[in-house]
Amino acid sequence: MEPPSKSSASLFDVYLRLRPSFHPNAERFMDVEELESGLPKHITIKPPASDQRKRAVEKFAFTSVFQEDAKQIDLFEGTGVVPLIEGVLGPENKEGRDGLLATLGVTGSGKSHTILGSKSQRGLTQMTLDVLFQSTGSQLVHPSCINAVFPSIAAADVSEAQLFPAAVYLDNIYGDGQSERGGYNSRAQTPMMERSSFLSAPGGSRRNIPRPSALPQSPSVQDFVVEADQTAEYALVVSMYEVYNDRIFDLLTASMSTNKIGTYKRRALLFKSTEQSPDRKVVAGLRKVVCSNLDEALMVLETGLLERRVAGTGSNAVSSRSHGFFCVEVKKRNRVQKGPWSSSTLTIVDLAGSERARNAKTAGATLAEAGKINESLMYLGQCMQMQSDNQEGSKNIVPFRQCKLTELLFSNSFPNASNHHSHHHRNPQKAIMIVTADPMGDFNATSQILRYSALAREVTIPRIPSVTSTILSGAVLQNGPKHHGNSSGRSSPTALHEELEHAQQEVARLNEELDVISLQLQEETSRRQNAEHSWHAATSNLETLEAEIREQCFAEMEERIEAERRRWKGAWDEENDRQDEHIDRKIEILARGINVYEDETSGAGEGDGAPADDRFEGLERENQMLKRKLDDLEREKLSRSPSKKMRVLKSKKWEVDSGENLSP
Ligand SMILES: Nc1ncnc2c1ncn2[C@@H]1O[C@H](COP(=O)(O)OP(=O)(O)OP(=O)(O)O)[C@@H](O)[C@H]1O
């Protein structure tokens, strides 16, 4: 069993680092292959003796295995970090290639130690930064020119970011804030990123300034100078964020954006395609800092690390409760022609530890965090398992869109995944995963991580005799001479012995098969549980979607009802106006009739009154006729108009009114 060759379609090179155990008296469950020279690639794990259920031995292949005595510098040299740096600096006159370096492991297995180091030793992040600054050296934009160059760097940024020179950024956090200030927004500013929130933070959150001289200086990486593109001018831009409860938060924003009472509500950022980057998703709206030297970059790193959410759990007193992302963007342009800046990013990820919730004495919010961490790591495991299945010939689609973590880790791993129209072809990122493990730690949690992260895997059977075969061989030894003595003559003792040996071998073989099958069963069970988990997550997503759609439909319905109500009200008002007009006309006619009547009665004061009566009757008739006409018109209208009922009411009202008016 060999790990797949470099040319294969693997998304990650996967290295294993073993840590010196904290549990010196615990049983070691892992063996590393012994080689005359070079780094081993294989390990085997066997369940502890106390675990009666499983007896199969599993063998895993990695790109390389670093044993307990490996130093930080060995990891730096042996895990391909240097080629990753070479990739982001880019070849001559060409764009660089994105790189990703991540650590994965059980809580306390040494992920942060490897990536970020300890009080006395630098981690891969600090060493990488050192090599980057060393290698770009004089080609880096000179601090005295930074103001002149800054707008063009900001303009080339596609992620709606807010850029600051390190001096300004650090002064706002640690200094008196009185020095020259000024940040630059990239071309499209994210509306929620208000420049004033940073620059006018009342009093800011002044902290003790981290002194780069107090940070560990070893191991030195002086010997690792990478050849930079001699035709290029470089600028290094640092940003940091974390994925906490499946949401992305800027680690360089919160500390300086405090309000009057010293608190700041963090806003989640989006991982999306922007106007300037339609074919590629980026974390939009981050705060980015342009660093001119290693000390500035280390201070920004320390600032972001302080911000990272850390909560004590039962598993590890200072455990990372979020997935931390540290990004160095290498901006590059031709030093003579200048021209636009291209950008490639080296992302270093310190993943939160996988742990079994029941192991960690957590509760409430922390338990929920653990759930989210385990869920995101489960999705990561599924993606990694797909990659190793694909290497064996399957053509599975890596399901990286299931959560923020896998989206961030895998989105740039595929050539032009979402871009069929662009002429701009980016190389897929180069990625390295360092799996950390304690060979005397938690067997179940460690073996689970090894199973999904290893590049290849094989199940073998222990060579120790099974209980059955031991009994049988005992029986053979005991019964052999007895059979020999009591031979009936039908079968010779040798034949019996052979038969027993065969039976013994068959039983042992069946036992081995049983072991393999029970291991496969366990794996299938765990796959099924994972699938169920994904299914539940999908169901809950669907439920949320359904609720959203219902709400949308409801709002739409309300809107339509409102429109209908307004239309109806309009028709009602129109009808009212018509009725009013009609009544006015009637009243006018009536008034005219009354006037005529009055004239006539006053003119014929001494007569017998007959002509006036006639006139009155004539008017009455005319009135009756008009009423009938009106009724006919009403009926005709009723048969056509929607506001039938209303008009019936109206006409009735009119009849009453006119009746009242007409009554003497
Ligand atoms: N290779 C090593 N050599 C010496 N000490 C180590 C090594 N690996 C880890 N440690 C120590 O073990 C402790 C826990 O390690 P670390 O914090 O790196 O674990 P982790 O995997 O990042 O845990 P979590 O996921 O909870 O953050 C630290 O004190 C660290 O210094």
Side-chain angles (χ1 to χ4, degrees), residues 313-368:
T313 70
S315 300
N316 182 4
V318 272
S319 182
S320 316
R321 310 310 314 148
S322 67
H323 306 299
F325 285 69
F326 176 79
C327 309
V328 192
E329 277 169 61
V330 177
K331 309 267 181 191
K332 172 179 170 181
R333 70 173 177 181
N334 188 286
R335 67 199 306 187
V336 183
Q337 296 154 2
K338 303 298 179 187
W341 294 90
S342 69
S343 173
S344 41
T345 309
L346 176 57
T347 309
I348 302 177
V349 190
D350 180 27
L351 291 173
S354 77
E355 64 196 306
R356 285 148 178 250
R358 66 185 156 80
N359 285 354
K361 296 175 194 72
T362 48
T366 324
L367 190 59

Side-chain angles (χ1 to χ4, degrees), residues 353-500:
S354 77
E355 64 196 306
R356 285 148 178 250
R358 66 185 156 80
N359 285 354
K361 296 175 194 72
T362 48
T366 324
L367 190 59
E369 277 171 16
K372 276 282 176 206
I373 291 167
N374 283 350
E375 188 178 297
S376 59
L377 291 172
M378 181 197 77
Y379 290 134
L380 172 63
Q382 281 178 3
C383 291
M384 294 193 67
Q385 193 129 35
M386 288 288 175
Q387 91 152 352
S388 64
D389 289 354
N390 283 355
Q391 277 156 15
E392 284 162 17
S394 314
K395 288 220 163 70
N396 297 316
I397 293 171
V398 178
F400 66 89
R401 292 205 174 83
Q402 303 196 79
C403 68
K404 280 282 163 322
L405 175 69
T406 49
E407 257 201 285
L408 288 163
L409 291 179
F410 290 91
S411 281
N412 296 331
S413 297
F414 308 95
N416 284 335
S418 58
N419 177 22
H420 305 295
H421 310 294
S422 168
H423 300 296
H424 182 75
H425 294 285
R426 289 186 75 92
N427 280 324
Q429 75 182 358
K430 176 103 193 71
I432 294 172
M433 178 71 83
I434 300 176
V435 179
T436 52
D438 177 354
M440 293 156 88
D442 179 342
F443 172 80
N444 287 328
T446 309
S447 61
Q448 204 176 355
I449 285 207
L450 295 175
R451 253 172 233 141
Y452 67 66
S453 61
L455 293 170
R457 175 172 161 258
E458 201 175 85
V459 181
T460 54
I461 301 303
R463 290 292 134 214
I464 45 162
S466 66
V467 176
T468 326
S469 57
T470 314
I471 293 168
L472 276 172
S473 62
V476 169
L477 286 175
Q478 281 170 19
N479 294 341
K482 217 161 128 196
H483 276 288
H484 189 69
N486 298 334
S487 169
S488 64
R490 273 184 295 161
S491 53
S492 70
T494 332
L496 257 180
H497 192 78
E498 268 172 18
E499 211 173 297
L500 264 174

Side-chain angles (χ1 to χ4, degrees), residues 35 114 286 464 632:
L35 292 181
T114 303
L286 277 175
I464 45 162
D632 289 347

Side-chain angles (χ1 to χ4, degrees), residues 15 17 66 71-82 84-85 101-103 110-118 121-132 219 221 298 301 326 328 346 348-349 432-434 436:
Y15 296 87
R17 182 187 199 181
F66 293 86
K71 303 272 177 292
Q72 298 288 81
I73 195 73
D74 299 331
L75 267 285
F76 185 75
E77 194 172 359
T79 51
V81 181
V82 177
L84 218 56
I85 297 173
L101 169 66
T103 47
K111 295 181 297 298
S112 306
H113 178 85
T114 303
I115 283 285
L116 298 164
S118 60
Q121 292 278 299
R122 300 205 284 185
L124 297 185
T125 310
Q126 293 87 342
M127 289 188 259
T128 301
L129 280 173
D130 199 348
V131 172
L132 270 173
V221 284
L298 290 177
L301 170 68
F326 176 79
V328 192
L346 176 57
I348 302 177
V349 190
I432 294 172
M433 178 71 83
I434 300 176
T436 52

